[in-house]
Amino acid sequence: MKARPFIKWVGGKGGISRKVLEHLPNEIENYYEPFLGGGAIFFNARKRLKNAFLSDVNAQLVQVYKVIQNNIDDLIRILDIHKKSHSKDYYYNIRSMHNLDNPVKMSARFIYLNKTCYNGLYRVNKNNEFNVPMGSYKNPAILDEKNLRACHEVLQNVNIQFGSFEDIEVHKNSVIYCDPPYDETYNQYTVNKFERDIQEKLRDKVLEWSRQGAKVIISNADTDYIRELYKNSVFTIIDIEAPRYISCKTDGRDSTQELLIML
Ligand SMILES: C[S@@+](CC[C@H](N)C(=O)[O-])C[C@H]1O[C@@H](n2cnc3c(N)ncnc32)[C@H](O)[C@@H]1O
């Protein structure tokens, strides 16, 4: 079975993965995805990748990837309990367990809440506590065992790290796909918002990686600010139309203009 992202993630790239893949080389020695989220491009590109380095600043999310890589049976066992116990009271009880130390229990909680919360949002309060209310689903897919086992296989020998893009040092022959929180849209994946000064740091980091010989592809929103930020002629900018999940609308999907920026 082909592994797919095992969580819903705001800004997930499932809808445009084919368009991004068209611009990735057919064989990649070292692939980096420093804004991992649901990892849609990684899962779609995996057959082209010799070595993969996945990272994100969401510590819990990174832990979930590591547990899928190393403790899949225990994770499935606990998710099965969540699946059988799911109710409104159960959701809020599990949601209140903010300080679970056991990585497998924490990961099962993360996936359970992701599958049952409102719109698959990930939002935390200032104490870094998940605070999204329960969504209304008739039959949420809390445990997709086949896909989790497929993800487990694909994640073997993959390097998974917690950390910010700023700390990434790349190997030679690298391709880096960056999918940061977008300009002028949802940018609160963690306690700290991804403001424009950080968009600027990313642009500078991308130039540094390129000087070190890496090929870089960046997704972002089509805004005047982003076009101005990447106006240097070393960047090639392509417009793409994307079906996009809009978090402020209850009913769903819309089409937006996005940019793929390459160098
Ligand atoms: C648009 S989402 C990525 C979506 C992903 N491509 C997918 O298909 O689901 C952006 C991600 O960047 C992460 N992030 C935010 N600030 C970051 C930083 N400074 N360094 C690394 N990751 C960061 C967020 O935690 C979030 O998972």
Side-chain angles (χ1 to χ4, degrees), residues 67-68 70-84 104-105 107-109 111 142-152:
V67 163
I68 291 177
N70 299 311
N71 303 86
I72 189 68
D73 292 331
D74 293 340
L75 177 71
I76 286 172
R77 192 174 43 75
I78 301 176
L79 269 175
D80 193 44
I81 297 172
H82 290 335
K83 179 182 157 186
K84 288 175 178 147
V104 181
K105 286 185 182 164
S107 299
R109 172 182 179 270
I111 295 175
I142 294 166
L143 171 58
D144 181 346
E145 181 170 347
K146 277 191 184 155
N147 187 48
L148 282 172
R149 291 198 182 278
C151 292
H152 166 76

Side-chain angles (χ1 to χ4, degrees), residues 9 11-13 34-40 56-57 163-165 179-181 189 194:
W9 208 243
K13 283 296 157 297
F35 299 91
L36 179 60
D56 200 287
V57 279
S164 177
F165 70 89
D179 184 21
Y189 291 85
F194 202 93

Side-chain angles (χ1 to χ4, degrees), residues 5 7-14 33-41 55-58 61 65 122 163-166 168 177-182 186-187 189-190 192-194 198 244:
I7 46 166
K8 292 185 263 182
W9 208 243
V10 174
K13 283 296 157 297
E33 198 167 329
F35 299 91
L36 179 60
I41 301 303
S55 55
D56 200 287
V57 279
N58 185 322
L61 174 73
Y65 275 86
Y122 187 86
S164 177
F165 70 89
E166 287 136 298
I168 291 177
Y177 172 63
C178 295
D179 184 21
Y182 279 13
Y186 185 80
N187 64 0
Y189 291 85
T190 59
N192 303 315
K193 283 190 177 177
F194 202 93
I198 314 182
R244 193 140 184 94

Side-chain angles (χ1 to χ4, degrees), residues 35-239:
F35 299 91
L36 179 60
I41 301 303
F42 161 74
F43 284 113
N44 276 291
R46 71 202 177 282
K47 289 204 173 126
R48 305 183 188 188
L49 318 178
K50 196 158 173 217
N51 303 301
F53 301 83
L54 309 178
S55 55
D56 200 287
V57 279
N58 185 322
Q60 291 201 354
L61 174 73
V62 169
Q63 184 62 257
V64 177
Y65 275 86
K66 289 186 175 180
V67 163
I68 291 177
Q69 185 182 50
N70 299 311
N71 303 86
I72 189 68
D73 292 331
D74 293 340
L75 177 71
I76 286 172
R77 192 174 43 75
I78 301 176
L79 269 175
D80 193 44
I81 297 172
H82 290 335
K83 179 182 157 186
K84 288 175 178 147
S85 315
H86 178 53
S87 69
K88 190 171 174 193
D89 285 350
Y90 190 80
Y91 175 90
Y92 286 102
N93 184 30
I94 295 290
R95 196 186 77 167
S96 70
M97 298 177 182
H98 298 291
N99 297 315
L100 292 174
D101 309 326
N102 178 304
V104 181
K105 286 185 182 164
M106 191 286 292
S107 299
R109 172 182 179 270
F110 188 103
I111 295 175
Y112 167 65
L113 295 179
N114 176 265
K115 299 291 183 183
T116 52
C117 75
Y118 178 76
N119 272 349
L121 263 186
Y122 187 86
R123 190 189 59 200
V124 290
N125 64 20
K126 60 183 181 344
N127 299 321
N128 202 23
E129 294 171 348
F130 184 82
N131 65 1
V132 180
M134 192 172 105
S136 52
Y137 302 101
K138 276 214 174 83
N139 195 11
I142 294 166
L143 171 58
D144 181 346
E145 181 170 347
K146 277 191 184 155
N147 187 48
L148 282 172
R149 291 198 182 278
C151 292
H152 166 76
E153 293 302 329
V154 166
L155 288 170
Q156 297 311 300
N157 303 317
V158 165
N159 184 300
I160 303 166
Q161 293 291 338
F162 160 74
S164 177
F165 70 89
E166 287 136 298
D167 303 325
I168 291 177
E169 301 292 334
V170 294
H171 293 84
K172 280 199 177 141
N173 300 323
S174 294
V175 174
I176 308 170
Y177 172 63
C178 295
D179 184 21
Y182 279 13
D183 183 44
E184 287 184 7
T185 180
Y186 185 80
N187 64 0
Q188 180 97 58
Y189 291 85
T190 59
V191 175
N192 303 315
K193 283 190 177 177
F194 202 93
E195 304 284 11
R196 285 184 168 173
D197 57 325
I198 314 182
Q199 297 282 3
E200 233 174 272
K201 278 189 190 161
L202 174 60
R203 190 268 324 268
D204 294 343
K205 189 74 190 175
V206 160
L207 286 167
E208 187 186 315
W209 287 328
S210 172
R211 283 194 296 273
Q212 293 164 355
K215 174 180 169 62
V216 190
I217 301 184
I218 308 138
S219 286
N220 214 317
D222 186 359
T223 64
D224 291 345
Y225 173 76
I226 292 295
R227 285 187 179 270
E228 179 66 22
L229 190 64
Y230 290 98
K231 70 177 179 196
N232 185 324
S233 60
V234 296
F235 297 108
T236 303
I237 299 186
I238 296 178
D239 299 77

